Amino acid sequence: MIRLFRALPASVVLVLLLYSGVWAQIEYEVAVLNLADAPLSSLVDGTQMRLVITASEDAEAATTLSFYLDDDVHHLGDCVIPDGARTCTTAPISTLGWFWDEDGQVRPQREIHVINYQTSGWLPVVARNLTVAPRPVVLVHGFGSSFSTWMGYLGPAGYLAHTGLPGYAVGDGQVPGVMDTGNLLRPAQRTHTIARNSEILGDYIAAVKAETGAEAVDLVVHSMGGLIARYYIDSVMGPRDVGQLIMLGTPNGGSDCAVLAQSLGFYQPASLELRTGYLQSVFNPQIFEARGVPFFIVAGTVIQRRLFSPCGTVPNDTVVSMQSATAVPAQLIEAPYIHTDLTTSEALFFDHVAPLLRRTAEDFAVNTGSTASGESDVDSESAALAPDTADLVQFSQVMTGTVRSGSSQEHTIHIDRDVTVASFGLFDPSRSLTVTVRGATGNEITLTAADNGLNMITDPESLLYLGYGFENPRPGPWQVTVQATPRTPPLGTEYALVTLYAGGATIDAELSNHLPRLEEAVQITATLTLGNEPIAYARARVIVVHPDGRQESIPVGASGELLNATIVPSVPGVYGVDVSLGTILPDGTVAERTVYLAFEALGRLSGGGD
């Protein structure tokens, strides 16, 4: 019956009620208004609207009217015309997903049907046509990058245009706004904080909305761009203007590779804010609100073995582990890509990103968002994974230096007993150095991809340049020589080298407060253990990285089982805390471990001044 009535023109007056056996003919008008009460005949997908229906006669009884989209299945809302009145208005209605049909095809025309449920049956009252334009997509780059990382997405031949979507990348000049997550040509130059970049993102989104008439955009983000977007959604966004957040390789739990660049004083404070200690102890406990925005995670899983992983747990995309990517609840998609390919791969876009951008109104009605506090509407089987505590890894101190053209630097790496895997990661901004490795026997080891996971990442946006590893390495001192090559700049290049251990000794360290006020003491405690038993340390070091990048050594006791130290922050901002403990084990091998912590100092309490 409903389809019969739909054949009538929308302007035709339709019958409504049967009272006392007599049909009453009543004229109806439906008005579509935005939240500012301006009339709409066309809209951009994601616009909030209200529907107002007005009858030609007063209602003889309270009359409930229901609004549906196209197929009488997707229920938009209801309103009640009171007895003796002629009009009613719905609550705000979201149009997220209206540009797409259930098959992922464009649907630029929509019909709104009004249905009256009465004891005599249910009849269509009015149909109203609307033109729907696609919702814009805003692309947010990550660490040490710019809008150019999204060139495959942009332009008339880009992935987004092929999908029928308008695309904007922060910093592309289409509208004002340029973030700063690190300049690869000037690594010592200060970056913006996540908070500042999120404000710039907010201004960029506002400008895109003004240019397109949209009320909401989708965010597709890479790496650190996901942290910036999360901060925007949690702390900067006013009324909701993000349809969904699609994160590609975002280190929601931090990237252990970040300590390499940060140890050289490069790209700060961005590199400090990427540290695992900061994300897990400072950022995530504060930035967890999704505010109704659905979160999606695409995690690169190309690295499956610890031998091939110099920067964290496996699986990972070389610099961001799946454990880190899934540190906030979201629907998870695993994809076998390296970190820097997540923004360029055409296959990844059309296989995984495009289907999310084509989510329908029904999809948005089912999945209304998630929060990092653990509440989520996504299916539990595809929700973010909890960290696997059995897969935790330990690190050495970061060894740094400068290699000039034609020269080399040698470092001793101590490997203790029971280490099952030792992986090495080298950061070199020039991408020109090479390494020679001698094992505990003194013999030089030829590094190969098959036996040692030797991997050279030439993309300058990566936090890692060279990685390799060893399974069941012989305990004792290993020698790593960092050498210049003909490609090394004449004035040389700085580098940072770190070792990741699976097995052997472990360090446990804690801070008494991760959000202290200025002049409020932060206590550091740490122990070195072997086989779950504390062992006395013989050497200890605590380095504090101040918000301005300055490094300071903090006094600690000379020996014992429990390290104690104190930091008193004097300026607000993010502080890094590197805690190292070492000892000589009964078999004569040296055990040394370092943990990289962080806290953020806040201003003084009211009345104390800043």
Side-chain angles (χ1 to χ4, degrees), residues 97-108 110 163 358 360:
W98 281 30
F99 187 68
W100 305 101
D101 67 15
E102 60 275 9
D103 296 321
Q105 302 300 311
V106 297
R107 188 76 176 268
R110 287 291 198 177
T163 311
R358 292 194 293 257
T360 66

Side-chain angles (χ1 to χ4, degrees), residues 190-194 224 267-274 547 574:
R190 300 283 293 178
T191 73
H192 291 329
T193 62
I194 291 174
M224 194 177 197
Y267 315 118
Q268 290 192 156
S271 59
L272 191 56
E273 291 181 318
L274 280 172
V574 178

Side-chain angles (χ1 to χ4, degrees), residues 138 140 201 205 217-221 229 232-233 242 244-246:
V138 171
V140 187
L201 172 60
I205 290 172
V217 303
D218 282 350
L219 295 180
V220 178
V221 301
Y232 170 75
I233 291 168
V242 175
Q244 55 189 340
L245 173 62
I246 302 170

Side-chain angles (χ1 to χ4, degrees), residues 507-528:
I507 185 172
D508 297 301
E510 293 183 355
L511 301 179
S512 62
N513 191 348
H514 291 96
L515 291 170
R517 294 285 177 178
L518 295 186
E519 309 301 335
E520 181 181 353
V522 177
Q523 302 297 324
I524 308 164
T525 57
T527 57
L528 191 65

Side-chain angles (χ1 to χ4, degrees), residues 104 165 305-306 345 356 401 443 520 526 532 552 569 571 598:
L165 293 168
R305 292 176 59 190
R306 281 188 175 183
S345 170
L356 295 176
N443 296 324
E520 181 181 353
N532 296 321
E552 176 187 9
V571 297

Side-chain angles (χ1 to χ4, degrees), residues 151-336:
M151 294 308 292
Y153 280 63
L154 297 171
Y159 308 153
L160 289 172
H162 183 82
T163 311
L165 293 168
Y168 296 79
V170 180
D172 62 3
Q174 293 190 73
V175 298
V178 180
M179 302 189 311
D180 186 349
T181 59
N183 187 321
L184 299 177
L185 298 178
R186 294 185 290 276
Q189 180 176 294
R190 300 283 293 178
T191 73
H192 291 329
T193 62
I194 291 174
R196 175 62 186 133
N197 279 323
S198 72
E199 294 172 352
I200 295 169
L201 172 60
D203 292 341
Y204 189 91
I205 290 172
V208 170
K209 289 162 52 181
E211 180 171 284
T212 62
E215 289 185 6
V217 303
D218 282 350
L219 295 180
V220 178
V221 301
H222 181 236
S223 193
M224 194 177 197
L227 306 178
I228 295 166
R230 284 179 51 203
Y231 194 103
Y232 170 75
I233 291 168
D234 179 284
S235 301
V236 178
M237 181 175 72
R240 176 182 170 184
D241 61 8
V242 175
Q244 55 189 340
L245 173 62
I246 302 170
M247 295 179 275
L248 311 180
T250 291
N252 288 303
S255 173
D256 291 312
C257 286
V259 299
L260 293 167
Q262 182 271 310
S263 66
L264 296 173
F266 289 172
Y267 315 118
Q268 290 192 156
S271 59
L272 191 56
E273 291 181 318
L274 280 172
R275 286 169 59 147
T276 299
Y278 175 76
L279 266 296
Q280 293 184 356
S281 299
V282 180
F283 188 86
N284 287 340
Q286 299 182 90
I287 307 301
F288 56 83
E289 292 291 348
R291 301 180 62 192
V293 177
F295 285 7
F296 298 90
I297 291 167
V298 178
T301 57
V302 67
I303 305 297
Q304 295 284 333
R305 292 176 59 190
R306 281 188 175 183
L307 176 67
F308 300 165
S309 178
C311 281
T313 60
V314 291
N316 63 55
D317 64 11
T318 64
V319 296
V320 177
S321 69
M322 188 168 71
Q323 178 176 305
S324 172
T326 57
V328 295
Q331 183 169 314
L332 171 65
I333 297 169
E334 300 178 38

